[in-house]
Amino acid sequence: MKSIIICEGETDFVFLQHFMKRVNGWTDSKQKPNPSFISSVDNSRSRDFIKNADMLTIISCGGCGNIKTVFEEVIRKNQNEIFDEERYSKIVILTDNDETGIEAKIVSELNAVSGNSAQIQNNSWTDLSFTDATQNQFNSELLLLVIPFDENGALETFLLGSIAKSDSYDAEIIRKANDFVDNADPQLKYLNHRGFVTKAKLYAYFAIRIEPSVNQFRQRQDILKSVPWEQYENIRDCFKELRNL
């Protein structure tokens, strides 16, 4: 079985790799992924993982605005494949609940792309039916994760909360960093988007934790790797459906 997770950006991309390996038993395929079917998104990145005979691709699409385009191309790839085993039978889309109305917007876009009567819902698998180039029918399952589920926020919100639970000293750094971001730009000259605020809080914490003279991307990866995600109930509960890949 082939599955794919479509996420927004760097933090999601790095976190999902380590979460799927540590919590759900996936292994890096060690092969260079070739998402050649993603032709219209310049900043996309991907990585392949294996578990038994199954394969998982995780792809970041460079922002919420590109999710619809990547989803369209995944569906198009599925429709052009001859063999069922070459299709993505399970598709996961992860995006932030960082704006009022974003869940309704993304659901509407995905429903329009799928063209199915089944209505896509957050945190629930939806069976979708498609017709390929030879007019044969095939099915895929879609899981939409707009997180957090019951409040505005982002993946960064979950990550900082989990790090704070693992270390009381870091928890105080995170509290002070959050306070700084909340009060640093009262006129919203720069932090004029809810998503900017949540990411700024994570980067403020990283600015303290990361040595400025070293590879910052690698240090961010190391921090994400160091957190025992499997020990936190809120993280496990939020991503419990990923066990079905």
Side-chain angles (χ1 to χ4, degrees):
M1 182 179 75
K2 291 181 68 174
S3 303
I4 187 167
I5 302 177
I6 304 166
C7 63
E8 291 190 38
E10 175 194 313
T11 303
D12 313 38
F13 184 63
V14 173
F15 165 77
L16 285 167
Q17 292 179 57
H18 300 303
F19 182 86
M20 296 306 288
K21 288 192 288 187
R22 181 175 293 176
V23 178
N24 292 320
W26 289 87
T27 303
D28 197 311
S29 72
K30 305 296 184 182
Q31 296 180 359
K32 185 178 180 180
N34 182 29
S36 56
F37 64 94
I38 306 296
S39 60
S40 54
V41 179
D42 293 333
N43 296 321
S44 65
R45 301 173 60 207
S46 68
R47 200 164 188 89
D48 290 339
F49 300 85
I50 55 174
K51 184 166 68 172
N52 301 321
D54 297 328
M55 190 186 85
L56 168 66
T57 296
I58 300 176
I59 182 167
S60 66
C61 61
C64 181
N66 293 327
I67 286 177
K68 177 184 176 183
T69 299
V70 174
F71 181 53
E72 287 175 328
E73 299 217 18
V74 170
I75 297 304
R76 187 177 299 113
K77 177 188 183 300
N78 276 357
Q79 290 175 319
N80 289 334
E81 290 293 347
I82 299 174
F83 303 108
D84 282 342
E85 58 267 24
E86 294 301 318
R87 296 186 173 112
Y88 292 110
S89 56
K90 291 183 181 288
I91 304 167
V92 178
I93 294 176
L94 171 67
T95 188
D96 295 331
N97 191 9
D98 55 1
E99 289 184 33
T100 302
I102 189 64
E103 179 180 332
K105 180 178 181 291
I106 192 71
V107 165
S108 176
E109 290 179 348
L110 298 181
N111 280 325
V113 170
S114 74
N116 277 247
S117 57
Q119 293 298 298
I120 297 166
Q121 297 181 357
N122 194 15
N123 197 30
S124 178
W125 288 99
T126 304
D127 292 320
L128 302 177
S129 178
F130 301 96
T131 303
D132 64 18
T134 59
Q135 300 305 305
N136 290 318
Q137 191 177 67
F138 68 91
N139 296 320
S140 294
E141 291 183 86
L142 175 68
L143 173 66
L144 173 64
L145 296 174
V146 183
I147 59 171
F149 298 134
D150 12 358
E151 63 176 334
N152 288 128
L155 179 64
E156 288 83 357
T157 308
F158 279 95
L159 300 186
L160 286 176
S162 296
I163 293 170
K165 288 179 180 179
S166 70
D167 190 296
S168 59
Y169 186 83
D170 280 29
E172 183 63 11
I173 293 175
I174 289 169
R175 185 191 67 78
K176 291 177 179 177
N178 287 350
D179 287 345
F180 169 75
V181 172
D182 285 335
N183 296 287
D185 184 19
Q187 297 182 18
L188 302 181
K189 183 177 179 181
Y190 304 106
L191 299 177
N192 51 14
H193 185 286
R194 187 186 297 271
F196 296 166
V197 173
T198 55
K199 287 175 174 56
K201 290 179 178 179
L202 185 67
Y203 295 153
Y205 168 71
F206 282 156
I208 297 169
R209 279 289 308 271
I210 296 173
E211 298 176 23
S213 59
V214 299
N215 185 314
Q216 294 194 12
F217 179 75
R218 173 58 63 86
Q219 284 247 7
R220 287 196 291 267
Q221 283 188 316
D222 290 343
I223 292 173
L224 292 175
K225 289 180 189 178
S226 70
V227 178
W229 307 112
E230 66 277 9
Q231 296 180 16
Y232 300 114
E233 185 177 351
N234 63 323
I235 296 289
R236 293 199 314 269
D237 185 61
C238 179
F239 296 103
K240 62 183 179 182
E241 293 298 333
L242 297 184
R243 292 176 299 184
N244 294 314
L245 297 181

